Amino acid sequence: MDQKHASLCVPAEAAFARSVRMTAATFAVSCDMSVEDVEDVRMIAEEGFVYTCATAPESVEVRFSLERGRVTMDFSLGDTEPSDESVDLVRVLLSAVCDEFAFEDDGSTLHLVRASGESDGE
């Protein structure tokens, strides 16, 4: 599979978490990822959405880059620094499940990557 790109933009409201989660899972399936990896991508997408919403944007934009066995998600962050303790748990989860978990230097983007089996020590 050649690299493909897609974007999703939804209001920064809890009711739209499912749209982000299901879109990410659908893309993971199209990248020939295992059932376990698809579930990880689904969780990563939801936690990324939760984190992004904590930065108070009007909407959440997610840019997806898709390759065989790999999904990259870049979330555009708002201007508010999240301080809620639940966001600390989100950071722990993302750092444990993602193959890459980073913030752009200017703090405007949350960068998340899940690749088939790489986090499982395979």
Side-chain angles (χ1 to χ4, degrees), residues 10-17 20 45-61 75-84 87 90 110:
V10 297
E13 300 172 15
F16 291 90
V20 174
E46 183 164 6
E47 297 301 329
F49 181 81
V50 168
Y51 187 92
T52 302
C53 286
T55 67
E58 281 187 38
S59 60
V60 175
E61 181 181 356
F75 290 81
S76 295
L77 302 174
D79 296 328
T80 302
E81 181 66 32
S83 59
D84 188 23
V87 175
V90 169
L110 171 62

